């Protein structure tokens, strides 16, 4: 791998004429859009999935690849557990290697207070049948062969997994296409087509498509898109960065980490590393507009983000980004086909040095690729998964940095929500109206 594998340099894989009509039109070719499309097609729906850039070009290829139940919000946990069952099934059905492995996930405690938080979560998670356990300091040492740091302990879930994001999501998209989904890359949706106040389809940069149902799964762009229709989601996008090392000697250990350092081994023998607790928020009009709902999050992690006065040109919350447009004109979605933020290289080198100090036996790791992504954050750290107040419109967005692992289950849920099937879980916590119905912000016990 030289540089990041998915971007505008990658040839368009899904191209062709746009159909005139579909049962369901999906906006966004990340893991949520792709998995919803696959499950809808399996239910016999005619699905068109439109992606402004490349399938998985944004968050869905840029993530750490953790498929994690550990530390989930308790209302998300049964959904994460369903995803944990779905991933191996999907890999078997596709007959393609998604890089899936049951490595386990461990949260590493540097302070006794972290263990107390893990215990609180574990007491709530246990009744769901989770196999998570708090490890002692000695057990944690045994879990991380050669680690030089002594941890107070860890929260360990052996059943957690990893997959290789930039391999898995494009493979799942190919499976969706094989199941009959019409996927088009380089095709932005500019606007909804509303007829008598309900969904009649959408206007794309290549013309109109009729559809009775539209799903917005636009990741960091969803709130910009939805505000055209008076749907206000307090979603912000925050930069998170990752680096990949060259292949290193094998070490048998789980994906593990904390705010200082997160690491997991990739299928190609290298490690994917990140400074777990560091993010950058670019200040823009939405950051001001939504400051109030984020007050709890800022209070809990006052130094969790570095603040920058302005986003680069064309980003969803950049000062110059258009907030409204007509369907006949070029939109912000076409102007930024793949959101590809620059990582802060000095911090990347620090992360690499941190990893090298933790595992000196691995020698001097070298950076193979370095990248960043824009996470679609929500004030209460759970997504919006709901019907919208416009008939025929559904939303699945705001995955808050943990949508890759849970993606297959939210895809299955959206297929049922849209077709009137049994969603199988209580989605109350993920309702759109929680930001406007006077509810108190519920930060949940997620870690
Ligand atoms: C650095 C980083 C690390 C992460 N680590 C993990 C992890 O280890 N485990 C985990 O579970 N999650 C992780 N995540 C989060 C995870 O990647 C995301 O939650 C998930 O990929 C979100 O999927 P999505 O489909 O909602 O959005 P995205 O993958 O962002 O896809 C949305 C797509 O919609 C397209 N789009 C938007 N608007 C339009 C439009 N108008 N027309 C057409 N297309 C449009 C965009 O181009 C984009 O491709 C991480 C994220 C980052 C950035």
């Amino acid at each position: 791998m030289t540089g990041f594998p998915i971007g505008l340099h990658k040839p368009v894989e899904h191209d062709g004429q746009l159909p005139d009509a579909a049962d369901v039109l999906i906006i966004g070719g990340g893991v949520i859009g792709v998995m919803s499309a696959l499950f809808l097609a399996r239910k016999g729906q005619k699905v068109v999935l439109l992606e402004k850039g490349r399938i998985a070009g944004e968050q869905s290829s840029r993530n750490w690849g953790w498929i994690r139940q550990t530390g989930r919000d308790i209302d998300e946990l049964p959904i994460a557990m369903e995803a944990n069952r779905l991933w191996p099934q999907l890999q078997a059905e596709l007959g393609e290697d998604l890089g899936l492995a049951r490595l386990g996930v461990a949260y590493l405690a540097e302070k006794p207070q972290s263990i107390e938080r893990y215990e609180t979560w574990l007491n709530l998670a246990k009744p769901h049948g989770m196999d998570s356990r708090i490890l002692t300091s000695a057990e944690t040492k045994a879990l991380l062969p050669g680690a030089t740091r002594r941890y107070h302990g860890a929260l360990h879930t052996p059943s957690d997994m990893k997959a290789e994001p930039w391999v898995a999501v494009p493979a799942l998209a190919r499976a969706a296409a094989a199941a009959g989904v019409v996927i088009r890359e380089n095709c932005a949706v500019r606007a909804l087509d509303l007829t008598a106040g309900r969904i009649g389809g959408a206007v794309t940069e290549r013309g109109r498509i009729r559809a009775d149902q539209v799903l917005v799964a636009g990741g960091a762009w969803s709130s910009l898109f939805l505000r055209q229709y008076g749907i206000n989601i307090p979603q912000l996008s925050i930069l998170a960065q990752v680096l990949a090392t060259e292949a290193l000697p094998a070490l048998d250990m789980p994906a593990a980490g904390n705010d200082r350092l997160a690491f997991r081994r990739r299928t190609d023998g290298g490690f994917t590393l990140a400074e777990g607790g560091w993010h950058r928020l670019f200040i823009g009009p939405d950051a001001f507009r939504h400051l109030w709902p984020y007050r709890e999050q800022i209070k809990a992690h006052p130094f969790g983000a570095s603040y920058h006065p302005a986003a680069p040109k064309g980003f969803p919350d950049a000062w110059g980004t258009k907030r409204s447009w007509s369907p006949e004109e070029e939109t912000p979605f076409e102007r930024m086909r793949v959101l590809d933020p620059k990582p802060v290289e000095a911090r990347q080198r620090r992360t690499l040095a941190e990893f090298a100090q933790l595992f000196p036996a691995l020698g001097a790791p070298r950076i193979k690729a370095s990248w960043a992504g824009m996470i679609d954050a929500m004030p209460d750290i759970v997504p919006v998964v709901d019907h919208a107040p416009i008939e025929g419109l559904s939303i699945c967005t705001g995955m808050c940095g943990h949508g890759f692992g849970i993606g297959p289950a939210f895809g299955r849920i959206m297929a049922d929500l849209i077709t009137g099937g049994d969603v199988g879980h209580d989605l109350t916590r993920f309702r759109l109206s929680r930001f406007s119905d006077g509810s108190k912000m519920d930060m949940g016990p997620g870690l």
Side-chain angles (χ1 to χ4, degrees), residues 27-33 50-54 56-68 72 187-190 217-222 225 240-242 333 337 371-376 396-406:
I27 304 174
V31 67
I32 298 298
L50 301 177
E51 165 53 52
K52 65 181 170 58
R54 298 291 183 275
E58 297 195 345
Q59 295 175 85
S60 291
S61 59
R62 293 164 187 269
N63 61 73
W64 303 351
W66 293 25
I67 298 174
R68 162 178 82 78
R72 287 274 179 181
C187 186
V189 176
R190 291 178 167 176
W221 300 91
S222 298
F225 185 87
Q241 57 185 36
V242 192
F333 312 112
R337 297 220 177 255
W371 67 90
M374 298 304 286
I375 288 179
D376 50 344
C396 190
T397 198
M399 291 288 145
C400 303
H402 49 248
F404 172 68
I406 207 169

Coordinates of all heavy atoms in Angstrom, one line a residue, residues 27-33 50-54 56-68 72 187-190 217-222 225 240-242 333 337 371-376 396-406, ligand 1:
I27 N -28.8 7.2 -0.1 CA -27.7 8.3 -0.3 C -26.5 7.9 0.6 O -26.6 8.0 1.8 CB -28.3 9.7 0.1 CG1 -29.6 10.0 -0.6 CG2 -27.3 10.8 -0.1 CD1 -30.3 11.2 -0.2
G28 N -25.4 7.6 0.0 CA -24.2 7.3 0.7 C -23.7 5.9 0.6 O -24.5 5.0 1.0
G29 N -22.5 5.7 0.1 CA -21.9 4.4 0.0 C -20.9 4.0 1.0 O -19.8 3.5 0.7
G30 N -21.2 4.3 2.3 CA -20.4 3.8 3.4 C -21.0 2.5 3.9 O -21.9 2.0 3.2
V31 N -20.4 2.0 5.0 CA -20.9 0.7 5.5 C -22.4 0.7 5.7 O -23.1 -0.3 5.5 CB -20.1 0.3 6.7 CG1 -20.3 1.2 7.9 CG2 -20.3 -1.2 7.1
I32 N -23.0 1.9 6.2 CA -24.4 1.9 6.5 C -25.2 1.8 5.2 O -26.2 1.0 5.2 CB -24.7 3.2 7.3 CG1 -24.0 3.2 8.7 CG2 -26.3 3.3 7.5 CD1 -24.3 2.1 9.6
G33 N -24.9 2.6 4.2 CA -25.6 2.5 3.0 C -25.5 1.2 2.3 O -26.5 0.6 1.8
L50 N -26.5 5.6 -4.2 CA -25.7 6.6 -4.9 C -24.6 7.2 -4.0 O -24.9 7.5 -2.8 CB -26.6 7.8 -5.3 CG -27.7 7.3 -6.3 CD1 -28.6 8.5 -6.7 CD2 -27.2 6.7 -7.6
E51 N -23.4 7.2 -4.5 CA -22.2 7.6 -3.7 C -21.6 8.8 -4.5 O -21.3 8.6 -5.7 CB -21.3 6.5 -3.5 CG -19.9 6.8 -3.1 CD -19.9 7.7 -1.8 OE1 -20.5 7.3 -0.8 OE2 -19.2 8.7 -1.9
K52 N -21.4 9.9 -3.8 CA -20.8 11.1 -4.6 C -19.4 10.9 -5.0 O -18.9 11.5 -6.0 CB -20.9 12.3 -3.7 CG -20.1 12.3 -2.4 CD -20.3 13.6 -1.6 CE -19.7 13.5 -0.3 NZ -18.2 13.3 -0.2
G53 N -18.6 10.0 -4.3 CA -17.2 9.8 -4.6 C -17.0 8.3 -4.9 O -17.4 7.8 -6.0
R54 N -16.4 7.6 -4.0 CA -16.1 6.2 -4.1 C -16.7 5.4 -3.0 O -16.8 5.9 -1.8 CB -14.6 5.9 -4.1 CG -13.8 6.5 -5.2 CD -14.1 5.9 -6.6 NE -13.3 6.6 -7.6 CZ -13.6 7.7 -8.2 NH1 -14.7 8.3 -7.9 NH2 -12.7 8.2 -9.1
A56 N -17.0 3.5 0.2 CA -16.2 3.5 1.3 C -15.0 4.5 1.3 O -14.0 4.4 2.0 CB -15.6 2.1 1.6
G57 N -15.2 5.6 0.5 CA -14.1 6.5 0.3 C -13.9 7.4 1.6 O -12.8 7.9 1.8
E58 N -14.9 7.5 2.4 CA -14.8 8.3 3.6 C -14.6 7.5 4.9 O -13.7 6.6 4.8 CB -16.0 9.3 3.7 CG -15.9 10.2 2.4 CD -16.7 11.5 2.5 OE1 -17.6 11.6 3.3 OE2 -16.5 12.4 1.6
Q59 N -15.4 7.7 5.9 CA -15.1 7.0 7.2 C -14.9 5.4 7.0 O -14.2 4.8 7.7 CB -16.2 7.2 8.2 CG -16.4 8.7 8.6 CD -17.5 8.8 9.5 OE1 -17.4 8.5 10.7 NE2 -18.7 9.1 9.0
S60 N -15.7 4.9 6.1 CA -15.9 3.4 6.1 C -14.6 2.7 5.7 O -14.6 1.4 5.9 CB -17.1 3.0 5.3 OG -18.3 3.4 6.0
S61 N -13.6 3.4 5.1 CA -12.4 2.7 4.9 C -11.3 3.2 5.8 O -10.2 2.6 5.9 CB -11.9 2.9 3.4 OG -11.8 4.3 3.2
R62 N -11.5 4.3 6.5 CA -10.5 5.0 7.2 C -10.4 4.6 8.6 O -9.6 5.2 9.4 CB -10.7 6.5 7.1 CG -10.5 7.0 5.7 CD -11.1 8.4 5.4 NE -11.0 8.7 4.0 CZ -9.9 9.2 3.4 NH1 -9.0 9.7 4.2 NH2 -9.9 9.4 2.1
N63 N -11.2 3.7 9.0 CA -11.3 3.4 10.5 C -10.3 2.4 10.9 O -9.6 1.8 10.1 CB -12.8 3.1 10.8 CG -13.2 1.8 10.1 OD1 -12.8 0.7 10.4 ND2 -14.0 2.0 9.1
W64 N -10.3 2.1 12.2 CA -9.3 1.2 12.8 C -9.7 -0.3 12.5 O -8.8 -1.1 12.7 CB -9.3 1.3 14.4 CG -9.0 2.6 14.9 CD1 -8.6 3.8 14.3 CD2 -9.1 3.0 16.3 NE1 -8.5 4.8 15.2 CE2 -8.8 4.4 16.4 CE3 -9.5 2.3 17.5 CZ2 -8.7 5.0 17.6 CZ3 -9.4 3.0 18.7 CH2 -9.1 4.3 18.8
G65 N -10.9 -0.5 12.1 CA -11.3 -1.9 11.8 C -11.7 -2.7 13.0 O -11.8 -3.9 12.9
W66 N -11.9 -2.1 14.2 CA -12.4 -2.8 15.3 C -13.9 -3.1 15.2 O -14.7 -2.2 14.9 CB -12.2 -1.9 16.6 CG -10.8 -1.7 17.0 CD1 -9.7 -1.6 16.2 CD2 -10.3 -1.3 18.3 NE1 -8.6 -1.3 16.9 CE2 -8.9 -1.1 18.2 CE3 -10.9 -1.2 19.6 CZ2 -8.1 -0.8 19.3 CZ3 -10.1 -0.9 20.7 CH2 -8.8 -0.6 20.5
I67 N -14.2 -4.3 15.5 CA -15.6 -4.8 15.5 C -15.9 -5.0 17.0 O -15.6 -6.1 17.5 CB -15.9 -6.0 14.6 CG1 -15.5 -5.6 13.2 CG2 -17.3 -6.5 14.7 CD1 -15.6 -6.7 12.2
R68 N -16.4 -4.0 17.6 CA -16.4 -4.0 19.1 C -17.8 -4.0 19.7 O -18.6 -3.2 19.3 CB -15.6 -2.7 19.4 CG -15.7 -2.1 20.8 CD -14.8 -0.9 20.9 NE -15.4 0.3 20.3 CZ -16.4 1.0 21.0 NH1 -16.8 0.7 22.2 NH2 -16.8 2.1 20.4
R72 N -19.8 -0.5 24.6 CA -20.9 0.2 23.9 C -21.9 0.8 24.8 O -22.2 0.2 25.9 CB -21.6 -0.9 23.0 CG -20.8 -1.4 21.9 CD -21.0 -0.5 20.7 NE -20.3 -0.9 19.6 CZ -20.3 -0.3 18.4 NH1 -21.0 0.8 18.3 NH2 -19.5 -0.7 17.4
C187 N -21.7 10.0 -8.2 CA -23.1 10.5 -8.4 C -23.7 11.1 -7.1 O -24.2 10.3 -6.3 CB -23.9 9.4 -9.0 SG -25.6 10.0 -9.5
A188 N -23.6 12.4 -7.0 CA -24.1 13.0 -5.8 C -25.6 13.2 -5.9 O -26.1 13.5 -6.9 CB -23.4 14.4 -5.6
V189 N -26.3 13.0 -4.7 CA -27.7 13.4 -4.6 C -27.7 14.9 -4.2 O -27.1 15.2 -3.2 CB -28.4 12.5 -3.6 CG1 -29.9 13.0 -3.5 CG2 -28.4 11.1 -4.1
R190 N -28.4 15.7 -5.0 CA -28.5 17.1 -4.8 C -29.6 17.5 -3.9 O -29.5 18.4 -3.1 CB -28.6 17.9 -6.1 CG -27.3 17.8 -6.9 CD -27.6 18.6 -8.2 NE -26.3 18.8 -8.9 CZ -26.2 19.3 -10.1 NH1 -27.3 19.7 -10.7 NH2 -25.0 19.5 -10.6
A217 N -27.9 8.1 4.4 CA -26.8 7.5 5.2 C -25.5 8.2 4.7 O -24.5 7.5 4.3 CB -26.7 6.0 4.8
G218 N -25.5 9.5 4.9 CA -24.4 10.3 4.3 C -23.3 10.6 5.2 O -22.5 11.5 4.9
G219 N -23.2 9.9 6.3 CA -22.0 10.1 7.3 C -21.9 11.6 7.6 O -22.9 12.2 8.1
A220 N -20.7 12.2 7.5 CA -20.5 13.5 7.9 C -21.2 14.6 7.2 O -21.3 15.8 7.6 CB -19.0 13.8 7.8
W221 N -21.9 14.2 6.1 CA -22.7 15.2 5.2 C -24.2 15.2 5.5 O -24.9 16.0 5.0 CB -22.5 14.8 3.8 CG -21.0 14.9 3.4 CD1 -20.1 13.8 3.4 CD2 -20.3 16.0 2.9 NE1 -18.9 14.2 3.0 CE2 -19.0 15.6 2.7 CE3 -20.6 17.3 2.7 CZ2 -18.0 16.4 2.2 CZ3 -19.6 18.2 2.2 CH2 -18.3 17.7 2.0
S222 N -24.6 14.2 6.4 CA -26.1 14.1 6.5 C -26.8 15.3 7.0 O -27.8 15.7 6.5 CB -26.3 12.9 7.5 OG -25.8 11.7 7.0
F225 N -27.2 18.0 4.4 CA -28.2 17.6 3.4 C -29.6 17.8 4.0 O -30.5 18.4 3.4 CB -28.0 16.1 3.0 CG -28.9 15.7 2.0 CD1 -28.6 15.9 0.6 CD2 -30.2 15.1 2.3 CE1 -29.5 15.5 -0.4 CE2 -31.0 14.7 1.3 CZ -30.7 14.9 -0.1
A240 N -10.1 12.6 13.0 CA -9.4 11.5 13.8 C -8.4 11.0 12.8 O -8.6 10.8 11.6 CB -10.3 10.5 14.3
Q241 N -7.2 10.6 13.3 CA -6.1 10.2 12.4 C -5.6 8.8 12.8 O -5.6 8.4 13.9 CB -5.0 11.2 12.3 CG -4.4 11.6 13.6 CD -3.4 12.7 13.4 OE1 -3.6 13.6 12.5 NE2 -2.3 12.7 14.1
V242 N -5.0 8.2 11.8 CA -4.6 6.8 11.9 C -3.3 6.6 11.1 O -3.1 7.3 10.1 CB -5.7 5.8 11.3 CG1 -5.4 4.4 11.6 CG2 -7.1 6.2 11.7
F333 N -21.6 18.6 -2.3 CA -21.3 17.1 -2.3 C -20.5 16.8 -3.6 O -19.6 15.9 -3.5 CB -22.6 16.3 -2.3 CG -23.6 16.8 -1.3 CD1 -24.8 17.4 -1.6 CD2 -23.3 16.6 0.1 CE1 -25.6 17.8 -0.6 CE2 -24.1 17.1 1.1 CZ -25.3 17.7 0.7
R337 N -15.8 15.3 -3.4 CA -16.2 13.9 -3.7 C -15.7 12.9 -2.6 O -16.4 12.0 -2.2 CB -15.8 13.4 -5.0 CG -16.4 14.3 -6.1 CD -16.8 13.4 -7.3 NE -17.5 14.3 -8.3 CZ -18.8 14.3 -8.5 NH1 -19.6 13.5 -7.8 NH2 -19.3 15.2 -9.4
W371 N -3.2 8.6 7.5 CA -4.4 9.3 6.9 C -5.3 9.8 8.1 O -5.0 9.5 9.2 CB -5.2 8.3 6.0 CG -5.8 7.1 6.8 CD1 -7.0 7.1 7.3 CD2 -5.2 5.8 7.1 NE1 -7.2 5.8 7.9 CE2 -6.1 5.1 7.8 CE3 -3.9 5.3 6.7 CZ2 -5.8 3.8 8.2 CZ3 -3.6 4.0 7.2 CH2 -4.6 3.2 7.9
A372 N -6.3 10.5 7.7 CA -7.3 10.9 8.7 C -8.7 10.8 8.1 O -8.9 10.5 6.9 CB -7.0 12.4 9.0
G373 N -9.7 10.9 8.9 CA -11.1 10.8 8.5 C -11.9 11.8 9.4 O -11.4 12.2 10.4
M374 N -13.1 12.1 8.9 CA -14.0 13.0 9.6 C -15.1 12.1 10.2 O -15.9 11.6 9.5 CB -14.6 14.1 8.7 CG -13.5 15.0 8.1 SD -12.5 15.9 9.3 CE -13.6 17.1 10.0
I375 N -15.1 12.0 11.5 CA -16.1 11.2 12.3 C -17.3 12.1 12.4 O -17.3 13.3 12.7 CB -15.5 10.9 13.6 CG1 -14.4 9.8 13.5 CG2 -16.7 10.4 14.6 CD1 -13.8 9.3 14.8
D376 N -18.5 11.4 12.1 CA -19.8 12.2 12.3 C -20.2 12.0 13.8 O -20.7 10.9 14.2 CB -20.8 11.7 11.3 CG -21.1 10.3 11.2 OD1 -20.2 9.5 11.7 OD2 -22.1 9.8 10.7
C396 N -30.2 7.1 8.9 CA -29.3 6.3 9.7 C -27.9 6.9 9.6 O -27.2 6.8 8.6 CB -29.2 4.8 9.2 SG -28.4 3.7 10.3
T397 N -27.6 7.7 10.6 CA -26.3 8.5 10.6 C -25.9 8.9 12.0 O -26.6 8.7 13.0 CB -26.6 9.8 9.7 OG1 -25.3 10.3 9.3 CG2 -27.4 10.8 10.4
G398 N -24.7 9.5 12.0 CA -24.1 9.9 13.3 C -23.6 8.8 14.1 O -23.9 8.6 15.3
M399 N -22.8 8.0 13.5 CA -22.3 6.7 14.1 C -21.2 7.0 15.2 O -20.8 6.1 15.8 CB -21.8 5.7 13.1 CG -22.9 5.2 12.2 SD -24.0 4.0 13.1 CE -25.6 4.4 12.4
C400 N -20.8 8.2 15.3 CA -19.9 8.6 16.4 C -18.6 7.8 16.5 O -18.2 7.5 17.7 CB -20.7 8.5 17.7 SG -22.2 9.5 17.8
G401 N -18.0 7.5 15.4 CA -16.7 6.8 15.5 C -16.8 5.3 15.8 O -15.8 4.7 16.1
H402 N -18.0 4.7 15.7 CA -18.1 3.3 15.9 C -19.1 2.6 15.1 O -19.7 1.6 15.5 CB -18.2 2.9 17.4 CG -19.3 3.6 18.1 ND1 -19.0 4.6 19.1 CD2 -20.6 3.6 18.0 CE1 -20.2 5.0 19.6 NE2 -21.2 4.5 18.9
G403 N -19.2 3.1 13.8 CA -20.3 2.5 12.9 C -19.8 1.4 12.1 O -20.6 0.7 11.4
F404 N -18.5 1.2 12.0 CA -18.0 0.1 11.1 C -18.4 -1.2 11.6 O -19.0 -2.0 10.9 CB -16.4 0.2 11.0 CG -15.8 -0.9 10.2 CD1 -16.1 -1.1 8.9 CD2 -15.0 -1.9 10.9 CE1 -15.5 -2.2 8.2 CE2 -14.5 -2.9 10.2 CZ -14.7 -3.1 8.9
G405 N -18.0 -1.5 12.9 CA -18.3 -2.8 13.4 C -19.8 -3.1 13.5 O -20.3 -4.2 13.2
I406 N -20.6 -2.1 13.9 CA -22.0 -2.3 14.1 C -22.8 -2.2 12.8 O -24.0 -2.5 12.7 CB -22.5 -1.3 15.1 CG1 -23.8 -1.8 15.9 CG2 -22.8 0.1 14.5 CD1 -24.2 -0.9 17.1
Ligands
LIG1 C1 -10.2 7.4 12.2 C2 -11.5 6.6 12.4 C3 -11.4 5.5 13.2 C4 -12.6 4.7 13.4 N1 -12.5 3.5 14.0 C5 -13.6 2.7 14.1 C6 -13.5 1.4 14.5 O1 -12.4 0.9 14.9 N2 -14.6 0.6 14.6 C7 -15.8 1.1 14.3 O2 -16.8 0.4 14.4 N3 -15.9 2.4 13.7 C8 -14.8 3.1 13.6 N4 -14.9 4.4 13.0 C9 -16.2 4.9 12.6 C10 -16.7 4.3 11.3 O3 -15.7 4.3 10.4 C11 -18.0 5.0 10.9 O4 -18.9 5.2 12.0 C12 -18.7 4.4 9.8 O5 -17.8 4.1 8.7 C13 -19.8 5.3 9.3 O6 -20.4 4.7 8.1 P1 -21.4 5.6 7.3 O7 -21.8 4.7 6.2 O8 -22.4 6.1 8.2 O9 -20.6 6.9 6.8 P2 -19.4 7.0 5.7 O10 -18.5 5.9 5.7 O11 -18.7 8.3 6.0 O12 -20.2 7.1 4.4 C14 -21.0 8.1 4.0 C15 -20.9 8.3 2.5 O13 -22.0 9.1 2.0 C16 -21.5 9.8 0.9 N5 -22.4 10.9 0.7 C17 -22.7 11.9 1.6 N6 -23.5 12.8 1.0 C18 -23.8 12.3 -0.2 C19 -24.7 12.8 -1.2 N7 -25.4 13.9 -1.1 N8 -24.8 12.1 -2.4 C20 -24.1 10.9 -2.5 N9 -23.2 10.4 -1.6 C21 -23.1 11.1 -0.4 C22 -20.1 10.1 1.3 O14 -19.3 10.4 0.2 C23 -19.6 8.9 2.1 O15 -18.9 8.0 1.3 C24 -13.8 5.2 12.8 C25 -13.8 6.3 12.1 C26 -12.7 7.1 11.8 C27 -12.8 8.3 10.9

